[in-house]
């Protein structure tokens, strides 16, 4: 979480944007820093706690200054320190695909036979399926938010798999699932759609806060991005085809303004077929009716 926030802070600072939101995000990290609960957290505090506190103090001095224009040196000092910490964290804590629940949340690891329903399983017309225990193995997905895949064993003997996402507001996703439920109810009441068993497949979405939540995870599924990547690999096309065209149009991509990037991206779209998903779905379909 520290690396993600430092990345955002540095990006907004270099782009001349307001960093207030990122600073508030850092404040929540510091509350956890000053109250470690697990052995890895204590080790992190011993290694980086002092430097993080010094960087944060420079940041606060900048915000408390009456004339921030004359206090930009404090902000630059804080950014430089954070960036140095970022490099050290990346060097000393390489990406880990597997985590042990006991090491990151001893409380959850000790939970047994809870009276809380398995997220997304509550149905007033059926027996309550409660959480029996949390499986000890956690898998980390190497995507933007690094979601954690965790498994809950229910009182019915079944296992329920979820993605725990941080730094992401899932309340809109929850509303979308509710909308799909309404659509399914309308489809079930129409004789023609009911006969064809038409319905939108839904999955549990449980917001835990304004920036974290659980999403039901189903095995043997692929993201749209993965489907496109596999299709491009099969036809020997580069995965970043659009970005390659955009960089040909504007080699200085990283220094462009938002509108210039939009223009460059539109150029890339006009020079690529844009039918990857259609072609991939066609090749994967068992017959022309599906």
């Amino acid at each position: 979480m520290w690396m993600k926030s430092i990345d955002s802070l540095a990006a907004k600072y270099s782009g001349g944007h307001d960093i207030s939101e990122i600073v508030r995000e850092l404040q929540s990290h510091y509350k956890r820093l000053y109250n470690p609960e697990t052995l890895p957290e204590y080790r992190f505090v011993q290694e980086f706690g002092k430097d993080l506190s010094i960087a944060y103090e420079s940041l606060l001095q900048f915000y408390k200054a009456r004339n921030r224009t004359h206090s930009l040196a404090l902000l630059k000092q804080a950014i430089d320190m954070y960036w140095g910490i970022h490099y050290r964290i990346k060097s000393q804590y390489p990406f880990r695909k597997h985590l042990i629940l006991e090491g990151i949340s001893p409380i959850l690891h000790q939970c047994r036979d809870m009276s809380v329903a398995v997220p997304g399983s509550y149905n007033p017309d059926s027996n309550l399926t409660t959480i029996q225990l949390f499986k000890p193995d956690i898998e980390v997905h190497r995507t933007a938010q690094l979601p954690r895949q965790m498994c809950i064993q229910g009182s019915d003997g079944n296992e329920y798999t979820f993605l725990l996402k941080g730094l992401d507001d899932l309340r809109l996703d929850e509303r979308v699932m509710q909308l799909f439920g309404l659509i399914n109810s309308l489809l079930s009441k129409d004789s023609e759609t009911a006969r064809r068993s038409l319905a939108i497949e839904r999955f549990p979405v449980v917001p835990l806060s304004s920036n974290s939540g659980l999403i039901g995870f189903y095995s043997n599924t692929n993201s749209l991005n993965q489907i496109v990547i596999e299709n491009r690999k099969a036809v020997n096309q580069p995965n970043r085809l659009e970005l390659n065209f955009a960089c040909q149009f504007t080699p200085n991509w990283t220094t462009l303004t938002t509108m210039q990037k939009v223009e460059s991206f539109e150029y890339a779209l006009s020079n690529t077929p844009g039918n990857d998903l259609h072609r991939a779905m066609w090749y994967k379909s068992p017959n022309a009716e599906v």
Side-chain angles (χ1 to χ4, degrees), residues 182-223:
L182 175 60
I183 293 173
N184 286 345
S185 129
L186 295 174
L187 291 174
S188 66
K189 292 180 180 179
D190 182 85
S191 58
E192 179 60 24
T193 54
R195 182 183 65 81
R196 298 167 62 187
S197 300
L198 295 182
I200 301 174
E201 186 69 31
R202 297 191 300 157
F203 51 86
V205 177
V206 185
L208 301 176
S209 69
S210 60
N211 64 351
S212 65
L214 294 170
I215 295 181
F217 180 82
Y218 296 96
S219 57
N220 300 319
T221 58
N222 273 337
S223 65

Side-chain angles (χ1 to χ4, degrees), residues 32-290:
R32 186 66 180 269
L33 181 73
Y34 298 141
N35 298 281
E37 298 177 359
T38 65
L39 185 59
E41 288 177 351
Y42 278 104
R43 289 174 179 168
F44 183 87
V45 171
Q46 290 177 350
E47 182 68 30
F48 302 102
K50 182 178 179 180
D51 290 340
L52 283 169
S53 297
I54 294 173
Y56 190 53
E57 185 62 32
S58 296
L59 203 59
L60 290 180
Q61 288 179 15
F62 166 74
Y63 269 91
K64 291 177 181 178
R66 293 184 177 181
N67 191 336
R68 291 185 181 177
T69 304
H70 294 99
S71 305
L72 288 176
L74 290 171
L75 178 59
K76 186 178 184 306
Q77 177 183 340
I79 299 295
D80 290 342
M81 289 197 67
Y82 277 124
W83 200 244
I85 295 169
H86 180 285
Y87 177 78
R88 288 167 52 202
I89 293 174
K90 188 174 182 179
S91 302
Q92 297 180 36
Y93 291 85
F95 174 78
R96 294 172 60 190
K97 185 173 178 59
H98 298 284
L99 302 173
I100 302 300
L101 183 61
E102 185 178 8
I104 57 178
S105 181
I107 295 177
L108 282 184
H109 177 71
Q110 295 169 5
C111 289
R112 294 291 187 278
D113 300 321
M114 303 175 69
S115 57
V116 180
V118 172
S121 69
Y122 176 73
N123 187 338
D125 299 323
S126 61
N127 293 330
L128 186 67
T129 302
T130 57
I131 298 174
Q132 190 172 33
L133 58 87
F134 293 88
K135 292 288 186 176
D137 298 320
I138 307 292
E139 182 179 346
V140 183
H141 289 252
R142 198 161 194 168
T143 54
Q145 304 295 348
L146 298 177
R148 274 64 167 166
Q149 180 180 326
M150 59 188 303
C151 185
I152 298 174
Q153 184 170 315
S155 56
D156 59 356
N158 294 324
E159 294 184 352
Y160 300 85
T161 306
F162 295 90
L163 288 181
L164 174 61
K165 300 193 70 176
L167 303 177
D168 201 356
D169 190 348
L170 298 182
R171 290 175 293 184
L172 179 59
D173 301 69
E174 182 187 35
R175 298 294 181 269
V176 171
M177 288 299 118
Q178 292 171 352
L179 174 62
F180 287 169
L182 175 60
I183 293 173
N184 286 345
S185 129
L186 295 174
L187 291 174
S188 66
K189 292 180 180 179
D190 182 85
S191 58
E192 179 60 24
T193 54
R195 182 183 65 81
R196 298 167 62 187
S197 300
L198 295 182
I200 301 174
E201 186 69 31
R202 297 191 300 157
F203 51 86
V205 177
V206 185
L208 301 176
S209 69
S210 60
N211 64 351
S212 65
L214 294 170
I215 295 181
F217 180 82
Y218 296 96
S219 57
N220 300 319
T221 58
N222 273 337
S223 65
L224 295 178
N225 180 59
Q226 188 62 34
I227 291 173
V228 170
I229 289 176
E230 290 176 359
N231 178 71
R232 290 188 173 182
K233 184 177 180 181
V235 297
N236 295 319
Q237 280 188 343
N239 293 339
R240 309 176 76 182
L241 181 63
E242 290 80 9
L243 182 59
N244 292 346
F245 272 106
C247 290
Q248 289 176 13
F249 183 65
T250 49
N252 56 332
W253 170 265
T254 56
T255 62
L256 299 180
T257 65
T258 302
M259 290 307 297
Q260 288 173 331
K261 286 184 177 180
V262 169
E263 183 181 355
S264 180
F265 184 63
E266 288 176 344
Y267 169 81
L269 292 181
S270 66
N271 284 274
T272 51
N275 62 346
D276 297 272
L277 194 57
H278 171 271
R279 188 170 51 194
M281 292 296 190
W282 174 258
Y283 290 153
K284 286 180 175 290
S285 298
N287 57 64
E289 299 300 324
V290 177

